Amino acid sequence: MPHVLVTGAAGFIGSHTVDQLLAAGHRVTAVDDFRTGRRENLAGALRSPACRLVEADVSAEDALGQLVAGDRPEAIVHLAALVSVPESIRDPGLNFRLNVVATQRVAEAARGAGVGRVVFASSAAVYGDAAPLPAGEEAPKAPISPYGAAKLASEALLLGHAAAYGFTVRCQRYFNVFGPRQDPGSPYSGVISLFARRHREGTAVTLFGDGGQTRDFISVHDVARANVLAATAPGLRSGTANICTGRGTSLREVLAVFQRLYPAAPAPQFAPPREGDIRHSRGDPAAAAAALGFRAAVAVEDGLAELAASA
Ligand code: UD2
């Protein structure tokens, strides 16, 4: 039975990836240091005898190397990260350790133990705010935060090690991921997680700007499926692909769906546009289709209905 090691396994995307790996019959070593990951995200997974939890900080010297040498997984899915752009701006040193040093540890651990494949959680943040629409992988990379810079540096680190040492790396540039278990804990959390919580509580959402801004919102179930494909599909070559739907949805459209799901919701409040906001963001999904056979399947409307139902 193929064996996959997942870092950041207790996080939003990590825990869904673990669930889908187990459902597909794989054995999983779930690694997390619980800095932002949550134990309850893995509650279902840990009922499976095929899942083992290891509490470790991937950026620590030797921790991952020893674990991987003992565990000998066929693939590593590296999702452990500092996930907040504002936090990366406040603490670029921490961003460097958690988003670059940790990736270097993964590359060295893969090399040391002869792991065949590494899947990396990259981000649309590598494009910055000047990408054409839709953004293809060859679009200029111009990150505008330490977070985006670290994701771009990590892609290069992994691809260089993969070429030198003969393993395969799949860099997955996620667009705006949403779904169950996303943490709405900060004002900078993903907009859908914030809107979902406000609607559940019956309080008004705040719309920054006119609501005409669009994002390529992709369900975490689709993202987890893309991770499973990248980790386990036979015969893949190293490369980089957007993980996106290719469709833009405006915040006004998102709100209209929430208003149907919560007819008694109070009217939204309007505030000035957020500083540094991008007006439109949308990815080209063609490379993921060609390389992985991946196409997003969950419509935004259905993903929002699932969120409301799971509340
Ligand atoms: C986030 C990240 C970005 C990148 C991207 C990928 C930040 C600051 N930016 O930006 O770097 O990782 O995600 O997924 O973390 N909005 C409201 N009301 C709210 C919250 C947000 O109107 O209560 C607006 C916000 O001004 C923006 C849109 O919703 O126009 C989307 O906001 P977001 O933070 O979910 O995502 P994004 O793409 O701006």
PDB file of all heavy atoms in Angstrom, residues 96 99-100 103 120 126 143 147-159:
ATOM      1  N   PHE A  96      10.681  33.209   6.691  1.00  0.00           N
ATOM      2  CA  PHE A  96      11.823  32.536   6.043  1.00  0.00           C
ATOM      3  C   PHE A  96      12.015  31.139   6.632  1.00  0.00           C
ATOM      4  O   PHE A  96      12.215  30.167   5.912  1.00  0.00           O
ATOM      5  CB  PHE A  96      13.096  33.377   6.198  1.00  0.00           C
ATOM      6  CG  PHE A  96      14.278  32.773   5.515  1.00  0.00           C
ATOM      7  CD1 PHE A  96      14.392  32.802   4.126  1.00  0.00           C
ATOM      8  CD2 PHE A  96      15.281  32.143   6.247  1.00  0.00           C
ATOM      9  CE1 PHE A  96      15.485  32.224   3.485  1.00  0.00           C
ATOM     10  CE2 PHE A  96      16.385  31.563   5.612  1.00  0.00           C
ATOM     11  CZ  PHE A  96      16.485  31.604   4.231  1.00  0.00           C
ATOM     12  N   ASN A  99       8.720  28.956   5.779  1.00  0.00           N
ATOM     13  CA  ASN A  99       8.358  28.789   4.363  1.00  0.00           C
ATOM     14  C   ASN A  99       9.545  28.529   3.438  1.00  0.00           C
ATOM     15  O   ASN A  99       9.338  28.146   2.292  1.00  0.00           O
ATOM     16  CB  ASN A  99       7.581  30.011   3.864  1.00  0.00           C
ATOM     17  CG  ASN A  99       6.149  30.014   4.389  1.00  0.00           C
ATOM     18  OD1 ASN A  99       5.660  28.996   4.886  1.00  0.00           O
ATOM     19  ND2 ASN A  99       5.485  31.154   4.293  1.00  0.00           N
ATOM     20  N   VAL A 100      10.765  28.754   3.892  1.00  0.00           N
ATOM     21  CA  VAL A 100      11.928  28.450   3.029  1.00  0.00           C
ATOM     22  C   VAL A 100      12.811  27.381   3.683  1.00  0.00           C
ATOM     23  O   VAL A 100      13.069  26.336   3.074  1.00  0.00           O
ATOM     24  CB  VAL A 100      12.761  29.712   2.715  1.00  0.00           C
ATOM     25  CG1 VAL A 100      13.926  29.355   1.775  1.00  0.00           C
ATOM     26  CG2 VAL A 100      11.890  30.787   2.060  1.00  0.00           C
ATOM     27  N   THR A 103      11.246  24.049   3.653  1.00  0.00           N
ATOM     28  CA  THR A 103      11.250  23.416   2.326  1.00  0.00           C
ATOM     29  C   THR A 103      12.610  22.787   2.033  1.00  0.00           C
ATOM     30  O   THR A 103      12.695  21.695   1.458  1.00  0.00           O
ATOM     31  CB  THR A 103      10.917  24.463   1.243  1.00  0.00           C
ATOM     32  OG1 THR A 103       9.694  25.106   1.595  1.00  0.00           O
ATOM     33  CG2 THR A 103      10.778  23.815  -0.116  1.00  0.00           C
ATOM     34  N   PHE A 120       4.397  20.167  -3.478  1.00  0.00           N
ATOM     35  CA  PHE A 120       4.606  21.387  -2.696  1.00  0.00           C
ATOM     36  C   PHE A 120       3.425  22.340  -2.831  1.00  0.00           C
ATOM     37  O   PHE A 120       2.952  22.614  -3.936  1.00  0.00           O
ATOM     38  CB  PHE A 120       5.894  22.080  -3.154  1.00  0.00           C
ATOM     39  CG  PHE A 120       6.097  23.431  -2.526  1.00  0.00           C
ATOM     40  CD1 PHE A 120       6.174  23.559  -1.145  1.00  0.00           C
ATOM     41  CD2 PHE A 120       6.186  24.580  -3.307  1.00  0.00           C
ATOM     42  CE1 PHE A 120       6.342  24.805  -0.559  1.00  0.00           C
ATOM     43  CE2 PHE A 120       6.358  25.823  -2.725  1.00  0.00           C
ATOM     44  CZ  PHE A 120       6.429  25.933  -1.344  1.00  0.00           C
ATOM     45  N   VAL A 126       2.790  33.961  -5.923  1.00  0.00           N
ATOM     46  CA  VAL A 126       4.068  34.117  -6.648  1.00  0.00           C
ATOM     47  C   VAL A 126       3.924  35.102  -7.809  1.00  0.00           C
ATOM     48  O   VAL A 126       4.903  35.684  -8.253  1.00  0.00           O
ATOM     49  CB  VAL A 126       4.625  32.774  -7.193  1.00  0.00           C
ATOM     50  CG1 VAL A 126       4.874  31.791  -6.065  1.00  0.00           C
ATOM     51  CG2 VAL A 126       3.736  32.177  -8.267  1.00  0.00           C
ATOM     52  N   PRO A 143       6.358  38.595  -6.815  1.00  0.00           N
ATOM     53  CA  PRO A 143       5.695  38.565  -5.506  1.00  0.00           C
ATOM     54  C   PRO A 143       5.751  39.940  -4.838  1.00  0.00           C
ATOM     55  O   PRO A 143       6.721  40.674  -5.016  1.00  0.00           O
ATOM     56  CB  PRO A 143       6.508  37.546  -4.700  1.00  0.00           C
ATOM     57  CG  PRO A 143       7.464  36.907  -5.626  1.00  0.00           C
ATOM     58  CD  PRO A 143       7.475  37.651  -6.916  1.00  0.00           C
ATOM     59  N   TYR A 147       5.783  36.377   1.937  1.00  0.00           N
ATOM     60  CA  TYR A 147       5.112  35.090   1.738  1.00  0.00           C
ATOM     61  C   TYR A 147       5.233  34.617   0.292  1.00  0.00           C
ATOM     62  O   TYR A 147       5.672  33.495   0.016  1.00  0.00           O
ATOM     63  CB  TYR A 147       3.632  35.225   2.138  1.00  0.00           C
ATOM     64  CG  TYR A 147       2.796  34.007   1.834  1.00  0.00           C
ATOM     65  CD1 TYR A 147       2.723  32.958   2.743  1.00  0.00           C
ATOM     66  CD2 TYR A 147       2.065  33.910   0.648  1.00  0.00           C
ATOM     67  CE1 TYR A 147       1.954  31.835   2.464  1.00  0.00           C
ATOM     68  CE2 TYR A 147       1.303  32.797   0.364  1.00  0.00           C
ATOM     69  CZ  TYR A 147       1.245  31.765   1.272  1.00  0.00           C
ATOM     70  OH  TYR A 147       0.486  30.650   0.990  1.00  0.00           O
ATOM     71  N   GLY A 148       4.854  35.474  -0.649  1.00  0.00           N
ATOM     72  CA  GLY A 148       4.918  35.101  -2.071  1.00  0.00           C
ATOM     73  C   GLY A 148       6.350  34.825  -2.508  1.00  0.00           C
ATOM     74  O   GLY A 148       6.607  33.884  -3.276  1.00  0.00           O
ATOM     75  N   ALA A 149       7.289  35.623  -1.991  1.00  0.00           N
ATOM     76  CA  ALA A 149       8.702  35.416  -2.333  1.00  0.00           C
ATOM     77  C   ALA A 149       9.187  34.065  -1.828  1.00  0.00           C
ATOM     78  O   ALA A 149       9.912  33.348  -2.519  1.00  0.00           O
ATOM     79  CB  ALA A 149       9.548  36.544  -1.729  1.00  0.00           C
ATOM     80  N   ALA A 150       8.764  33.702  -0.617  1.00  0.00           N
ATOM     81  CA  ALA A 150       9.196  32.420  -0.039  1.00  0.00           C
ATOM     82  C   ALA A 150       8.619  31.249  -0.824  1.00  0.00           C
ATOM     83  O   ALA A 150       9.283  30.224  -1.023  1.00  0.00           O
ATOM     84  CB  ALA A 150       8.766  32.336   1.422  1.00  0.00           C
ATOM     85  N   LYS A 151       7.388  31.383  -1.289  1.00  0.00           N
ATOM     86  CA  LYS A 151       6.792  30.301  -2.087  1.00  0.00           C
ATOM     87  C   LYS A 151       7.556  30.133  -3.393  1.00  0.00           C
ATOM     88  O   LYS A 151       7.833  29.010  -3.826  1.00  0.00           O
ATOM     89  CB  LYS A 151       5.311  30.584  -2.338  1.00  0.00           C
ATOM     90  CG  LYS A 151       4.420  30.446  -1.102  1.00  0.00           C
ATOM     91  CD  LYS A 151       4.407  29.014  -0.586  1.00  0.00           C
ATOM     92  CE  LYS A 151       3.523  28.815   0.636  1.00  0.00           C
ATOM     93  NZ  LYS A 151       3.618  27.453   1.191  1.00  0.00           N
ATOM     94  N   LEU A 152       7.912  31.254  -4.024  1.00  0.00           N
ATOM     95  CA  LEU A 152       8.655  31.188  -5.289  1.00  0.00           C
ATOM     96  C   LEU A 152      10.047  30.593  -5.067  1.00  0.00           C
ATOM     97  O   LEU A 152      10.514  29.735  -5.830  1.00  0.00           O
ATOM     98  CB  LEU A 152       8.750  32.591  -5.889  1.00  0.00           C
ATOM     99  CG  LEU A 152       9.327  32.707  -7.294  1.00  0.00           C
ATOM    100  CD1 LEU A 152       8.556  31.850  -8.287  1.00  0.00           C
ATOM    101  CD2 LEU A 152       9.329  34.171  -7.750  1.00  0.00           C
ATOM    102  N   ALA A 153      10.724  31.029  -3.994  1.00  0.00           N
ATOM    103  CA  ALA A 153      12.054  30.488  -3.675  1.00  0.00           C
ATOM    104  C   ALA A 153      11.969  28.987  -3.410  1.00  0.00           C
ATOM    105  O   ALA A 153      12.835  28.212  -3.840  1.00  0.00           O
ATOM    106  CB  ALA A 153      12.632  31.218  -2.462  1.00  0.00           C
ATOM    107  N   SER A 154      10.912  28.573  -2.722  1.00  0.00           N
ATOM    108  CA  SER A 154      10.765  27.153  -2.395  1.00  0.00           C
ATOM    109  C   SER A 154      10.553  26.308  -3.641  1.00  0.00           C
ATOM    110  O   SER A 154      11.068  25.191  -3.740  1.00  0.00           O
ATOM    111  CB  SER A 154       9.585  26.961  -1.443  1.00  0.00           C
ATOM    112  OG  SER A 154       9.922  27.432  -0.160  1.00  0.00           O
ATOM    113  N   GLU A 155       9.782  26.829  -4.580  1.00  0.00           N
ATOM    114  CA  GLU A 155       9.610  26.101  -5.848  1.00  0.00           C
ATOM    115  C   GLU A 155      10.975  25.849  -6.473  1.00  0.00           C
ATOM    116  O   GLU A 155      11.294  24.735  -6.910  1.00  0.00           O
ATOM    117  CB  GLU A 155       8.764  26.921  -6.831  1.00  0.00           C
ATOM    118  CG  GLU A 155       7.300  27.025  -6.507  1.00  0.00           C
ATOM    119  CD  GLU A 155       6.534  27.737  -7.631  1.00  0.00           C
ATOM    120  OE1 GLU A 155       7.158  28.110  -8.650  1.00  0.00           O
ATOM    121  OE2 GLU A 155       5.310  27.915  -7.489  1.00  0.00           O
ATOM    122  N   ALA A 156      11.795  26.907  -6.537  1.00  0.00           N
ATOM    123  CA  ALA A 156      13.102  26.789  -7.187  1.00  0.00           C
ATOM    124  C   ALA A 156      13.999  25.806  -6.431  1.00  0.00           C
ATOM    125  O   ALA A 156      14.679  24.981  -7.042  1.00  0.00           O
ATOM    126  CB  ALA A 156      13.759  28.171  -7.278  1.00  0.00           C
ATOM    127  N   LEU A 157      13.978  25.889  -5.101  1.00  0.00           N
ATOM    128  CA  LEU A 157      14.794  24.958  -4.299  1.00  0.00           C
ATOM    129  C   LEU A 157      14.423  23.517  -4.593  1.00  0.00           C
ATOM    130  O   LEU A 157      15.283  22.666  -4.814  1.00  0.00           O
ATOM    131  CB  LEU A 157      14.565  25.238  -2.803  1.00  0.00           C
ATOM    132  CG  LEU A 157      15.377  26.347  -2.162  1.00  0.00           C
ATOM    133  CD1 LEU A 157      14.908  26.564  -0.730  1.00  0.00           C
ATOM    134  CD2 LEU A 157      16.865  25.996  -2.194  1.00  0.00           C
ATOM    135  N   LEU A 158      13.137  23.242  -4.591  1.00  0.00           N
ATOM    136  CA  LEU A 158      12.690  21.856  -4.784  1.00  0.00           C
ATOM    137  C   LEU A 158      12.980  21.372  -6.198  1.00  0.00           C
ATOM    138  O   LEU A 158      13.457  20.252  -6.394  1.00  0.00           O
ATOM    139  CB  LEU A 158      11.188  21.732  -4.478  1.00  0.00           C
ATOM    140  CG  LEU A 158      10.840  21.775  -2.986  1.00  0.00           C
ATOM    141  CD1 LEU A 158       9.333  21.910  -2.800  1.00  0.00           C
ATOM    142  CD2 LEU A 158      11.352  20.516  -2.266  1.00  0.00           C
ATOM    143  N   LEU A 159      12.698  22.224  -7.194  1.00  0.00           N
ATOM    144  CA  LEU A 159      12.917  21.790  -8.583  1.00  0.00           C
ATOM    145  C   LEU A 159      14.407  21.549  -8.848  1.00  0.00           C
ATOM    146  O   LEU A 159      14.777  20.592  -9.538  1.00  0.00           O
ATOM    147  CB  LEU A 159      12.335  22.823  -9.557  1.00  0.00           C
ATOM    148  CG  LEU A 159      10.793  22.831  -9.599  1.00  0.00           C
ATOM    149  CD1 LEU A 159      10.277  24.111 -10.261  1.00  0.00           C
ATOM    150  CD2 LEU A 159      10.250  21.603 -10.333  1.00  0.00           C
TER     151      LEU A 159
END
